Amino acid sequence: MSRESVLLFGLGGIGGIYACILQLSGKCDVHVVARSNYNVVKEKGFKLISPKFGNHDGMKFAGVWRSTEEAAASGTKFSYVLCANKALLDAKPSLSEHLSPIITPNLTSIVLLQNGVGAEEPLHQSFPETTIISAVVWTGGKALPNSEGVEQFNREGLTIGVDYKENSNKEEEDEKLEKLVEWLSAGKGDCTITKDIQSERWVKVIWNCCWNSLTTVTKLKTGPFFESSKEALPLCYTVMREVESVAKAKGLTIEDGTVEKLIKQCTDVAYPGLPSSMMADNNAGRPMEVEVILGTPVREGQRLGVPVPTLTAIYTIVKALDYGNQNPEAAKA
């Protein structure tokens, strides 16, 4: 009996790690869409450097494709499509358009391994009969030079749950989640299942709104940022408290002490502390996940009448940086 197949879309720092975990599990056939590093991965295989999963050279996947259209043309039917691409709500083509060729009704589940909040709704609209599994990623990962593979660092873990569709058969959707978690666990991945994934996503965005934005605008890792002035750490508390207030106004569950816990998780990291994916994207002139990390919390705060003045200021600055990256002529004006 042939094994089920999964497809990883977005073979960057995070996507590469979870492609490797599933490959190491031996539970499924792993296919990847390698848009920028197709030739390297196809010819040489994929490299993983990890204190948790070990070092692996030349890892060969069941299929390496340039696009979702090419993956679909292979005739493979995918039980899961894991999306670890940048969460850009205004991207053209959209994520739904990328996924459309490879979604098989009543078979394929979509798994989001992305930052931010608000990415599920467009997928529910595009694929109303498809199970959407959403994961909060607490994993340190970065692409290796020359796109030959990934390095996993700091820690690895997912908080994962179903973002239930309308009129959902929750038992059926839960079974799909449990199978995926079984496969990830077999590859030694750390998964915590939650019944309230949106609350967990907003906890993560409390983290992202602070560290991603501040490392980006200062071009400093967290350690040097804390050293820069006595106002640095209080600013972090202010940003996190504003996002926390929005989440609570939405009726989500944010446990007491969450902000203090998130601050401590960062300040406990040895100097020079943490970078962020947004910082790396800005430094490289790539599009940033401004809307799912900063824009959605700002708009939700405005909608609910929750003051978010500091967050609004940071959003406006990061939005301008993103604009400048995408419009180089503007910086020369």
Side-chain angles (χ1 to χ4, degrees):
M1 182 177 177
S2 61
R3 297 192 300 187
E4 294 180 63
S5 294
V6 302
L7 180 70
L8 201 299
F9 180 70
L11 197 65
I14 297 302
I17 290 169
Y18 285 96
C20 291
I21 291 173
L22 287 169
Q23 179 79 1
L24 292 170
S25 78
K27 294 289 187 178
C28 55
D29 289 335
V30 181
H31 297 243
V32 299
V33 173
R35 291 178 288 179
S36 62
N37 54 349
Y38 171 83
N39 289 331
V40 173
V41 178
K42 182 75 172 178
E43 295 171 10
K44 298 183 179 180
F46 200 70
K47 184 174 185 177
L48 172 66
I49 298 175
S50 168
K52 178 175 181 178
F53 303 104
N55 298 338
H56 302 267
D57 278 313
M59 192 176 289
K60 291 287 187 177
F61 299 117
V64 181
W65 313 107
R66 295 181 180 89
S67 66
T68 53
E69 289 83 2
E70 190 174 274
S74 73
T76 305
K77 303 297 183 183
F78 299 104
S79 297
Y80 300 92
V81 177
L82 281 70
C83 303
N85 57 307
K86 289 290 178 185
L88 305 173
L89 294 181
D90 53 357
K92 301 294 182 184
S94 67
L95 180 57
S96 292
E97 290 169 326
H98 277 298
L99 297 183
S100 183
I102 51 173
I103 301 300
T104 302
N106 302 314
L107 171 65
T108 309
S109 297
I110 298 171
V111 184
L112 292 178
L113 303 176
Q114 296 178 322
N115 283 326
V117 287
E120 295 89 356
E121 187 54 35
L123 295 174
H124 282 302
Q125 293 176 5
S126 298
F127 311 107
E129 301 304 316
T130 297
T131 294
I132 310 294
I133 296 171
S134 190
V136 177
V137 181
W138 297 101
T139 300
K142 63 181 181 180
L144 294 174
N146 303 317
S147 301
E148 63 180 347
V150 292
E151 179 182 355
Q152 178 264 317
F153 60 89
N154 195 30
R155 57 173 169 157
E156 180 278 323
L158 300 177
T159 302
I160 190 167
V162 177
D163 193 71
Y164 296 106
K165 57 194 177 189
E166 190 173 349
N167 302 317
S168 168
N169 180 335
K170 292 189 176 181
E171 182 177 347
E172 183 179 281
E173 293 202 277
D174 286 341
E175 287 176 358
K176 294 178 179 180
L177 169 64
E178 289 162 6
K179 181 193 291 184
L180 176 64
V181 168
E182 177 188 341
W183 293 355
L184 290 166
S185 299
K188 298 184 180 179
D190 183 8
C191 298
T192 301
I193 294 177
T194 178
K195 293 290 187 181
D196 185 8
I197 189 59
Q198 287 306 316
S199 290
E200 297 295 339
R201 276 208 164 274
W202 274 82
V203 169
K204 179 66 183 296
V205 93
I206 292 171
W207 168 280
N208 286 137
C209 275
C210 182
W211 308 128
N212 286 48
S213 63
L214 295 178
T215 55
T216 297
V217 300
T218 64
K219 296 190 174 183
L220 295 173
K221 293 182 181 180
T222 52
F225 174 67
F226 294 144
E227 286 187 343
S228 66
S229 77
K230 64 182 178 61
E231 305 301 334
L233 190 56
L235 175 61
C236 299
Y237 278 95
T238 298
V239 173
M240 287 193 176
R241 292 288 185 210
E242 288 185 2
V243 186
E244 178 188 46
S245 295
V246 174
K248 288 184 175 180
K250 287 174 62 65
L252 299 173
T253 301
I254 309 296
E255 294 183 1
D256 291 345
T258 292
V259 168
E260 289 78 7
K261 177 182 176 182
L262 294 175
I263 293 283
K264 187 175 187 299
Q265 285 177 356
C266 186
T267 56
D268 281 354
V269 177
Y271 192 89
L274 299 174
S276 73
S277 58
M278 182 179 281
M279 175 188 182
D281 287 338
N282 182 53
N283 290 345
R286 296 188 294 260
M288 294 184 283
E289 297 171 314
V290 186
E291 296 304 327
V292 293
I293 291 177
L294 295 163
T296 298
V298 166
R299 288 187 290 273
E300 284 295 276
Q302 294 168 343
R303 180 180 70 86
L304 296 165
V306 178
V308 286
T310 307
L311 187 62
T312 300
I314 292 173
Y315 166 66
T316 304
I317 293 167
V318 177
K319 188 74 172 176
L321 289 172
D322 195 49
Y323 177 83
N325 288 340
Q326 303 316 305
N327 298 274
E329 71 282 357
K332 300 175 183 178

